[in-house]
Amino acid sequence: MQCDYFDSGACRSCTLMGTPYPLQLSGRGDRVREVLAAHPGTTWLPPVESPESDYRNKAKMVVGGTVDAPTIGLLDRDGRPVDIRGCGVCTPGVRAVLPVLAEFVTTAGLTPYDVAARRGELKYLLVTDSPDGRVMVRFVLRSTEPLPRLRKHLPALLRRLPQLEVVTANLLPEHKAVVEGEEEVVLTERSTLSMRVNDLDLHLRPQSFFQTNTSVAAALYRQARAWTEELQPASVWDLYCGVGGFALHCAAPGRDVVGVETSAEAAASARQSARDAGFDGVRFEVGDATEFALAAPAPPDLVIVNPPRRGLGAPLSRWLEESGVRHVLYSSCNVTSLAKDLDAMPSLRPHVGRVLDMFPQTAHQEVAVLLGRD
């Protein structure tokens, strides 16, 4: 893939830009096997490839410049705004709405936030594109002051972009290095975006996490479903379940499935998807994954974990090691923390694994492994 932003030095986020894709893919596999070398005997399935471009279904864009000439993109090392609204790793659906949103910033008088001066209102535009071409847009604001103007001009924006299904304002009054705040104001009739993945509609609320690469996420869930069907567990936990992708793909008649997630919004999204799919044996709880496991009277047949980059941590790793659970399906976005967690669970050995290329053009490694007791 060729990128003018990378070639000009305007954006270097894609650190492997220009590296032939086969080398990127083989390098990921080599890196994973190197880090997990202390755990031999794993059967590695062929890696899951991704389109080199047009794959990123969510854009987190910094809004800079002025109200009359806004930039949509990022800040460089010196804090200056850089416009990358044509970013080639974003889906065409994301790229299609960004120029219109830039015009809307001017029309609605949404003053871009000046980080250095700590003044202005509009901090970020968060855009999510669904597989069927519907779009969610979230305006991250410092205060409620621009809300009347947002509401006034929103009908015209919806006429220009009929694919907009969910529009919200997220309030982030603090000056700190986060992308969104806790309060969300829904400005459209609909508050959820449906993400069709394989044979399921996963409902996405504004503050819910969803995998950024839809096609690779679909492959990840299919792999989890296949491994689960081989094991035929009567009971499954999906810890750090997000909007329920793993839990819903691994559901089956007569199988008890529980998803646990700290985000109430994500859990509500998962419950809605379960209702729509008619899954009576699946339930979702809001809570901490470790606390849930430690308080449970007995482990299930299969535990699925998809932790954040920091990994499971010592308490949950220790519980899994001592619980007697027969199998763990570990989906990891950080092979280093995965290796650390595996060291803490010596009785649960990786039997089979697969690298999934969730973020082409970057050094990111996504890996799924099925662990079992010998």
Side-chain angles (χ1 to χ4, degrees):
M1 175 184 171
Q2 185 273 334
C3 175
D4 291 339
Y5 299 125
F6 185 87
D7 292 343
S8 68
C11 175
R12 290 302 176 97
S13 298
C14 294
T15 56
L16 297 184
M17 185 66 68
T19 302
Y21 186 68
L23 292 181
Q24 292 188 33
L25 201 61
S26 62
R28 279 185 238 292
D30 292 343
R31 171 62 178 164
V32 168
R33 286 186 286 272
E34 174 188 347
V35 175
L36 300 182
H39 304 276
T42 306
T43 298
W44 289 100
L45 301 177
V48 173
E49 300 184 17
S50 167
E52 294 185 51
S53 61
D54 301 338
Y55 68 82
R56 191 177 179 92
N57 61 35
K58 183 173 183 178
K60 300 178 181 180
M61 295 294 194
V62 177
V63 182
T66 66
V67 69
D68 294 320
T71 61
I72 298 179
L74 48 79
L75 300 178
D76 66 14
R77 292 179 180 178
D78 298 320
R80 294 172 299 195
V82 178
D83 195 298
I84 58 166
R85 68 183 73 176
C87 174
V89 300
C90 292
T91 64
V94 168
R95 292 200 301 273
V97 303
L98 292 180
V100 181
L101 292 176
E103 295 177 17
F104 182 78
V105 169
T106 302
T107 301
L110 305 176
T111 306
Y113 184 67
D114 186 321
V115 175
R118 299 194 179 190
R119 62 170 178 262
E121 284 294 336
L122 180 59
K123 295 183 174 184
Y124 299 96
L125 285 172
L126 309 181
V127 181
T128 303
D129 178 35
S130 75
D132 64 357
R134 311 303 292 177
V135 176
M136 177 191 295
V137 172
R138 303 168 64 202
F139 295 86
V140 181
L141 306 171
R142 190 175 70 163
S143 74
T144 59
E145 187 274 331
L147 281 180
R149 298 194 299 281
L150 257 178
R151 289 192 170 99
K152 175 184 176 181
H153 295 283
L154 182 59
L157 178 65
L158 295 176
R159 286 193 294 271
R160 286 198 65 186
L161 296 174
Q163 65 268 46
L164 293 192
E165 190 149 290
V166 181
V167 179
T168 73
N170 178 272
L171 301 182
L172 178 59
E174 301 90 353
H175 180 87
K176 58 183 181 181
V178 295
V179 177
E180 61 186 70
E182 295 182 0
E183 185 176 353
E184 199 88 22
V185 181
V186 179
L187 302 173
T188 48
E189 182 177 347
R190 293 187 62 87
S191 61
T192 63
L193 185 68
S194 179
M195 306 290 286
R196 185 71 177 178
V197 181
N198 298 316
D199 54 350
L200 290 169
D201 288 318
L202 301 180
H203 292 283
L204 182 64
R205 296 187 181 215
Q207 293 182 316
S208 301
F209 169 80
F210 189 81
Q211 296 284 2
T212 305
N213 189 323
T214 307
S215 65
V216 176
L220 173 62
Y221 295 142
R222 289 195 301 270
Q223 184 62 75
R225 176 186 282 171
W227 284 340
T228 302
E229 288 309 301
E230 289 176 9
L231 298 173
Q232 285 295 307
S235 55
V236 177
W237 291 353
D238 179 7
L239 305 183
Y240 312 96
C241 70
V243 297
F246 284 107
L248 295 169
H249 277 84
C250 296
R255 181 175 296 155
D256 182 60
V257 180
V258 181
V260 181
E261 169 59 44
T262 57
S263 167
E265 284 285 282
S269 298
R271 293 189 193 107
Q272 183 177 351
S273 300
R275 287 194 300 270
D276 288 354
F279 290 155
D280 296 330
V282 183
R283 67 184 189 277
F284 295 94
E285 299 188 10
V286 178
D288 177 79
T290 302
E291 292 178 0
F292 175 86
L294 294 178
D301 296 332
L302 171 66
V303 175
I304 301 171
V305 291
N306 183 26
R309 288 191 61 80
R310 66 178 180 272
L312 300 176
L316 184 52
S317 297
R318 187 181 312 113
W319 181 88
L320 288 168
E321 169 68 14
E322 298 173 353
S323 68
V325 62
R326 297 299 306 170
H327 293 95
V328 175
L329 196 165
Y330 194 135
S331 178
S332 171
C333 62
N334 183 352
V335 68
T336 302
S337 60
L338 169 61
K340 182 178 180 181
D341 289 339
L342 291 179
D343 289 342
M345 302 183 293
S347 298
L348 288 161
R349 297 184 56 230
H351 290 171
V352 60
R354 194 164 203 179
V355 176
L356 303 103
D357 194 9
M358 197 72 75
F359 294 97
Q361 317 305 334
T362 76
H364 179 90
Q365 296 109 17
E366 191 89 15
V367 59
V369 289
L370 181 61
L371 315 177
R373 298 184 192 272
D374 294 335

